Amino acid sequence: MSLQRMRHLGVLALFLFLSLIWGQTANGDDGRPTCRRCDLHHACNCSYSGFTRVPMVTDQALSLDLSFNNITMVTQDDLMGHSRLTLLDLHANGLAEIHPSAFDSLWSLEELDLSDNQLTVLNPKWFNKLELLQHLNLLNNPYSFLGSPSLFLGLSELRRLMFGGPDLKELRREDLSGVTHLDELTVHANNLDRYDSGTFGDIWPLGRVTLSLHGPFLTNPALAAAVLNDVCYPETRLTLSDLHLAHYVSVQPFKDSINMIRYLSLRNVSLSDEACVSMLALLDGVPLSSLSIVGLTLTGEGRWVTANRTDLRSMDEFFASDVTILDILKFAMVSELQYLLQYQKKLSIINAKLFLLSCYLTKMMVNTLYLDVSDNLLTDLTLTYMLCDSEETLQELRVLNISGNLLKSLSTLSRLVTKLTKLTQLDISRTSYNSMPSSCSWPSTLRYLNISRAKLTFVTPCLPKSLQVLDLSFNDLKEFVLTMPILRELHLSGNKFLRLPAGGPYPNLQTLTIQSNTLNAFSLSDLQSYRRLENLEAGHNKFVCSCEFITFLHSQLTGSGDVKITDKHQTYVCDSPLYLQGEAVSQVNLSIIQCQPVLFVSVSCGVALLLGILVAGLLWRCHAFWFLKMTWAWLKAKRSSQRRRRHRNTEGTDPLLSFDAFVSYSEQDASWVENFLVPEMEEPSDSDSENPTSPLTLCLHKRDFLPGHWIMDNIMSAIERSRRTVFVLSENFVQSDWCRYELDFSHFWLFEAGGDTAILILLEPLSKDDVPKRFCKLRKLMSSTTYLEWPQEEERRPEFWRSLRNALRGDDEQEN
């Protein structure tokens, strides 16, 4: 029970320890959370993380994005130590309180965003130490005034300032003290009640101004006029948003400043007929060069006849987009508004539900260089009328964009634009062209053609050979085989190409994009077919990741090839084989077994053969084959010996030890054995009558081997049945095959029975080096065991025979 309790306590302690570690990871010492989402450039993105306090981040951070959290307060210590921080984003947090010294340590801060929070009072102490601040965003907080003293004193580097919101009520002259010049000023003051003239007047130069003055234009035109007078300069681009110009009075704020405006943009504007006529009257003859209207709602019927003599000669550019006509059935034809559109060099009417532009009007557009009527309701018929069919019109036009219209006949279009003799760029994308005639006529000046996002399934020589840029992206093309000698850019993304087009017909092509097709692969030879290709984008295809393709693409992605891959490397993803599906090609590394199986097998076999030869040579050198052969012979003879032993034990006959010694000798030494050894050992010795010696029994292969038996069995049986083995060593012995067999078997027997069973007799001087090296045991015995040398002197021979008898009989029966 105590052991179990100790285990529970151990688990609890471990849990508490891990909890403590996790707590230190997730929270700082003071309970603050920690954000570790920082990249290698020390940019920390901690947005959308649900933080209720400013989290702890590395003090090396250069930018910190805390937008879209729930941080309601910034304390004095929250940003302490972040002196390297250049960007701080606290947008959309519900921030209501900031300590006066919260930003004091941010000496390097260049951009601060406090927009869309709940700051009711702005404290100038926040910015006292931010001398390098360049961008400040205070939009959409519920403060009614900026406060005193000025928030911006000391911010001499400030270049982009945004403030205001629905609660801003007043702007005093001293509110912007310290602001000397700005690149961009944005003020949301839709409900502004008070404005001191000159508040913005001291800011110069002033690059771009965006104002939201919905309320003042409707109810306090004088205040709106005062604001405009302070910000209108010929060099300043003015944007006004959220205006409802319903009558003559609402246009009057422009009266005193319109002559100073060169670039005017209106965003989200509603305009009545009365206000439009009044506005045109103000624009009559003024040097306004650019007018842009995005989000225009026309509440009248287009009855602007009283303004038909308006002089807009100075207006080079007119842009209108997202136009809504509330009562389109009663609205006047655009043809009646030719006095508005005949002078512009650049004219854009986009997404205005325009279905007709009269030939009369286009004939008057003698200065127009750029015409954009995209995303409207033009058809082949109304386009024919707009371009006056066979009559000349738009003779100076360089760029024509009619994309996003209901066009179906490419032959009609080519016929209509042929007379536009200066046309260089034509955009007919997002139309309904699904076929292409075999031949077409085009202006010889045409260099850029965009037919992307149509419904083409094939291309023909209809396309002009004068093109330098051709965009056929997102059609249903499967091949592209045309000769275009001066083409420099070809865009074929989003089609059904299985391979790269051959490069021969495009000798000057420099850029090819063929993303999102069904390419399986491309190779170096494919790219080399393009003589001058520099940039390629071919990601998002169904690549088969073969070894050749992966190796080739790796070299291209690292920039080692002549062609540069300009799209992201992550877009090159394997589609097959299945085990690589979804893997980025740049991250795939196949082994040599997968890439070069034949080479691998060949090299492996070669290496294996070489190793086999080396091992075989080594084994031969070390006599391993001899040892294997002898082991097998020994085992075989051993089994025979065991069978004989079992047979003898069963019948009780033929005792195992039948001989005192087995004599191994060479046939050339037989005379010495028969004439000297056998008589001396097997006949009784009477040289000493007092101590006669009993005879010894020797085993000789000539007389004692059983006929009809395997020679190996005879040798093995002789060795086993003899107490000793006598080797009569000589040069003849070493050269004899049978002697080597006997040596071989006795060599094994020496391992089993021990070294004292062998007796060595040297008939002639013989060193151990004369014995084959494979008889390692025998060579060792010659080094460690005393052997008998046959004396040539007659008087020494009795001593020799006595030593031999003693060796054969053993220690118990030795002669004295």
Side-chain angles (χ1 to χ4, degrees):
M1 185 66 181
S2 59
L3 180 60
Q4 185 177 5
R5 182 176 299 173
M6 290 178 64
R7 288 177 179 173
H8 286 308
L9 290 175
V11 172
L12 180 60
L14 178 62
F15 176 79
L16 292 175
F17 175 77
L18 293 176
S19 299
L20 178 61
I21 295 298
W22 174 255
Q24 290 177 348
T25 302
N27 298 281
D29 295 337
D30 58 354
R32 287 170 56 194
T34 300
C35 176
R36 295 185 175 86
R37 287 165 26 193
C38 302
D39 61 21
L40 296 177
H41 303 289
H42 303 296
C44 300
N45 183 2
C46 304
S47 60
Y48 294 98
S49 299
F51 291 123
T52 58
R53 293 188 60 185
V54 175
M56 297 176 64
V57 296
T58 172
D59 56 6
Q60 300 298 313
L62 298 178
S63 68
L64 177 57
D65 186 353
L66 295 172
S67 59
F68 299 98
N69 283 288
N70 300 308
I71 301 170
T72 59
M73 179 176 62
V74 180
T75 68
Q76 182 178 6
D77 301 326
D78 283 347
L79 298 168
M80 190 71 69
H82 290 289
S83 58
R84 300 185 60 194
L85 203 63
T86 60
L87 183 150
L88 176 60
D89 189 349
L90 287 163
H91 168 74
N93 267 282
L95 191 61
E97 182 180 352
I98 300 176
H99 190 277
S101 303
F103 304 139
D104 283 2
S105 62
L106 307 183
W107 309 310
S108 303
L109 198 65
E110 297 176 0
E111 185 169 350
L112 176 60
D113 190 342
L114 298 173
S115 60
D116 294 294
N117 283 292
Q118 299 298 320
L119 299 172
T120 56
V121 177
L122 303 179
N123 192 335
K125 293 182 179 180
W126 295 342
F127 313 115
N128 282 347
K129 303 295 179 66
L130 306 183
E131 297 178 356
L132 299 180
L133 194 65
Q134 298 179 20
H135 301 164
L136 178 59
N137 189 347
L138 300 170
L139 286 172
N140 298 326
N141 281 280
Y143 51 83
S144 58
F145 55 91
L146 293 181
S148 181
S150 173
L151 298 172
F152 315 112
L153 289 173
L155 300 182
S156 59
E157 300 296 323
L158 195 63
R159 294 296 176 266
R160 183 183 178 193
L161 175 61
M162 294 177 283
F163 67 89
D167 295 292
L168 184 64
K169 299 297 182 181
E170 62 179 43
L171 284 174
R172 300 178 181 273
R173 187 176 180 86
E174 63 273 13
D175 285 348
L176 273 78
S177 297
V179 181
T180 55
H181 60 282
L182 293 174
D183 296 330
E184 182 176 347
L185 172 64
T186 300
V187 180
H188 289 186
N190 286 327
N191 298 310
L192 192 66
D193 292 334
R194 174 180 174 177
Y195 177 81
D196 290 350
S197 182
T199 299
F200 297 136
D202 294 332
I203 305 175
W204 172 257
L206 190 55
R208 182 184 298 275
V209 177
T210 301
L211 300 175
S212 295
L213 297 171
H214 176 79
F217 264 85
L218 282 177
T219 61
N220 196 344
L223 186 151
V227 175
L228 292 180
N229 289 337
D230 283 347
V231 299
C232 289
Y233 302 97
E235 299 82 1
T236 300
R237 294 182 175 272
L238 177 63
T239 299
L240 297 172
S241 61
D242 304 322
L243 296 183
H244 179 56
L245 306 180
H247 44 71
Y248 166 81
V249 176
S250 59
V251 179
Q252 293 310 300
F254 290 105
K255 184 176 182 180
D256 296 332
S257 58
I258 194 66
N259 285 298
M260 298 296 293
I261 300 174
R262 299 293 183 271
Y263 308 96
L264 177 61
S265 295
L266 304 177
R267 300 286 184 270
N268 191 23
V269 176
S270 65
L271 195 64
S272 67
D273 283 349
E274 180 183 349
C276 186
V277 170
S278 300
M279 190 68 182
L280 290 173
L282 290 175
L283 294 176
D284 185 24
V286 302
L288 182 68
S289 62
S290 175
L291 175 61
S292 173
I293 307 175
V294 177
L296 172 63
T297 301
L298 296 173
T299 60
E301 299 177 358
R303 306 302 177 184
W304 308 336
V305 179
T306 54
N308 60 2
R309 297 187 180 275
T310 301
D311 182 3
L312 299 176
R313 297 176 190 273
S314 63
M315 188 184 297
D316 292 330
E317 179 180 359
F318 177 74
F319 181 96
S321 174
D322 304 324
V323 179
T324 300
I325 302 174
L326 295 184
D327 196 350
I328 193 171
L329 296 178
K330 295 182 179 180
F331 200 82
M333 297 291 291
V334 179
S335 58
E336 299 179 12
L337 307 178
Q338 67 272 8
Y339 59 92
L340 297 178
L341 307 175
Q342 59 183 319
Y343 299 112
Q344 287 75 39
K345 293 180 180 179
K346 187 174 182 179
L347 175 62
S348 301
I349 305 175
I350 302 171
N351 191 24
K353 297 181 176 60
L354 178 69
F355 61 88
L356 180 64
L357 201 62
S358 70
C359 171
Y360 174 74
L361 175 59
T362 56
K363 282 185 176 181
M364 296 184 65
M365 296 165 56
V366 294
N367 297 318
T368 302
L369 305 176
Y370 179 101
L371 176 60
D372 185 349
V373 287
S374 59
D375 296 304
N376 282 291
L377 303 176
L378 296 176
T379 64
D380 294 325
L381 181 62
T382 57
L383 181 65
T384 301
Y385 180 61
M386 184 184 88
L387 296 180
C388 304
D389 201 358
S390 58
E391 300 179 35
E392 291 188 356
T393 185
L394 298 172
Q395 290 302 295
E396 298 298 321
L397 193 66
R398 291 344 189 242
V399 179
L400 175 60
N401 186 347
I402 51 176
S403 63
N405 281 282
L406 307 176
L407 305 176
K408 296 182 178 180
S409 175
L410 194 58
S411 58
T412 299
L413 174 71
S414 66
R415 177 178 59 82
L416 292 173
V417 300
T418 299
K419 61 187 177 183
L420 305 178
T421 56
K422 295 184 180 181
L423 188 68
T424 60
Q425 297 184 35
L426 176 60
D427 190 342
I428 51 176
S429 61
R430 297 181 290 112
T431 50
S432 299
Y433 298 128
N434 56 16
S435 63
M436 186 177 293
S438 58
S439 63
C440 304
S441 59
W442 301 92
S444 60
T445 55
L446 192 62
R447 298 291 180 267
Y448 173 95
L449 178 60
N450 185 352
I451 323 180
S452 63
R453 299 185 184 276
K455 300 177 181 179
L456 297 174
T457 57
F458 62 92
V459 293
T460 70
C462 168
L463 294 175
K465 289 182 170 55
S466 61
L467 292 178
Q468 294 181 354
V469 179
L470 175 60
D471 191 346
L472 290 167
S473 302
F474 298 98
N475 282 282
D476 292 319
L477 302 176
K478 295 181 179 178
E479 61 179 3
F480 183 77
V481 185
L482 292 176
T483 300
M484 309 194 79
I486 65 173
L487 190 67
R488 293 185 303 176
E489 293 185 23
L490 178 59
H491 303 277
L492 297 172
S493 297
N495 284 284
K496 298 178 180 179
F497 285 88
L498 295 174
R499 60 186 63 87
L500 292 182
Y506 322 108
N508 289 292
L509 192 68
Q510 298 176 10
T511 299
L512 174 62
T513 63
I514 192 166
Q515 297 175 317
S516 302
N517 278 270
T518 54
L519 291 181
N520 295 136
F522 56 92
S523 63
L524 182 60
S525 60
D526 293 330
L527 299 185
Q528 288 176 340
S529 68
Y530 298 90
R531 300 178 190 175
R532 300 181 60 188
L533 189 64
E534 297 176 358
N535 304 308
L536 174 68
E537 295 182 5
H540 298 295
N541 276 287
K542 299 183 179 300
F543 293 117
V544 176
C545 287
S546 63
C547 295
E548 295 80 6
F549 177 69
I550 290 175
T551 303
F552 162 70
L553 193 59
H554 280 186
S555 66
Q556 295 299 126
L557 292 176
T558 54
S560 59
D562 295 330
V563 179
K564 182 180 180 181
I565 303 293
T566 54
D567 48 351
K568 293 182 179 180
H569 297 179
Q570 292 82 0
T571 61
Y572 292 82
V573 177
C574 297
D575 185 66
S576 65
L578 188 61
Y579 68 91
L580 290 176
Q581 194 172 68
E583 293 288 333
V585 178
S586 59
Q587 303 298 320
V588 174
N589 291 290
L590 297 180
S591 65
I592 189 173
I593 301 176
Q594 296 168 298
C595 293
Q596 301 289 345
V598 175
L599 177 62
F600 176 78
V601 170
S602 302
V603 172
S604 299
C605 291
V607 171
L609 180 61
L610 179 60
L611 289 175
I613 294 173
L614 291 175
V615 170
L618 182 62
L619 293 176
W620 178 83
R621 183 73 175 171
C622 297
H623 308 288
F625 296 115
W626 173 80
F627 279 110
L628 290 174
K629 181 181 70 174
M630 293 313 302
T631 301
W632 171 249
W634 165 260
L635 292 174
K636 188 174 180 182
K638 185 75 172 177
R639 285 196 297 271
S640 298
S641 174
Q642 289 173 350
R643 286 197 298 270
R644 288 193 301 272
R645 188 181 296 114
R646 285 195 298 270
H647 179 72
R648 286 193 297 268
N649 292 337
T650 302
E651 297 184 358
T653 60
D654 191 14
L656 182 60
L657 293 176
S658 303
F659 304 98
D660 290 303
F662 167 67
V663 182
S664 176
Y665 60 93
S666 171
E667 196 64 36
Q668 283 78 8
D669 298 326
S671 60
W672 182 87
V673 173
E674 294 170 356
N675 297 328
F676 290 95
L677 180 63
V678 172
E680 191 69 32
M681 295 294 107
E682 290 189 341
E683 296 177 3
S685 175
D686 54 359
S687 59
D688 190 349
S689 58
E690 295 181 359
N691 296 295
T693 58
S694 59
L696 297 171
T697 305
L698 301 179
C699 178
L700 304 178
H701 64 267
K702 277 187 175 183
R703 70 180 187 192
D704 297 314
F705 278 12
L706 296 176
H709 284 239
W710 185 37
I711 185 65
M712 302 296 182
D713 285 342
N714 274 319
I715 294 173
M716 189 66 202
S717 176
I719 292 175
E720 279 188 330
R721 295 167 61 194
S722 303
R723 291 190 296 173
R724 302 285 189 272
T725 299
V726 177
F727 294 104
V728 181
L729 301 179
S730 66
E731 290 291 340
N732 298 323
F733 183 95
V734 173
Q735 301 300 323
S736 171
D737 290 336
W738 289 113
C739 291
R740 284 204 300 271
Y741 274 120
E742 292 165 357
L743 274 172
D744 290 345
F745 281 102
S746 63
H747 181 268
F748 278 94
W749 182 254
L750 291 175
F751 279 107
E752 186 173 281
D756 57 354
T757 62
I759 298 173
L760 308 181
I761 298 176
L762 271 62
L763 287 185
E764 57 190 37
L766 190 69
S767 69
K768 69 172 184 177
D769 294 331
D770 295 323
V771 179
K773 291 183 178 180
R774 61 181 176 271
F775 301 113
C776 55
K777 185 72 175 179
L778 192 57
R779 289 165 60 88
K780 183 176 180 182
L781 287 173
M782 291 184 68
S783 300
S784 59
T785 303
T786 302
Y787 47 81
L788 300 175
E789 295 187 36
W790 172 248
Q792 300 299 321
E793 298 84 1
E794 186 72 26
E795 61 275 10
R796 295 178 55 196
R797 291 179 181 174
E799 182 63 29
F800 171 82
W801 297 119
R802 186 166 43 254
S803 297
L804 179 58
R805 288 190 189 95
N806 290 337
L808 291 175
R809 287 192 175 98
D811 296 337
D812 297 335
E813 301 180 12
Q814 290 187 2
E815 294 181 8
N816 296 325

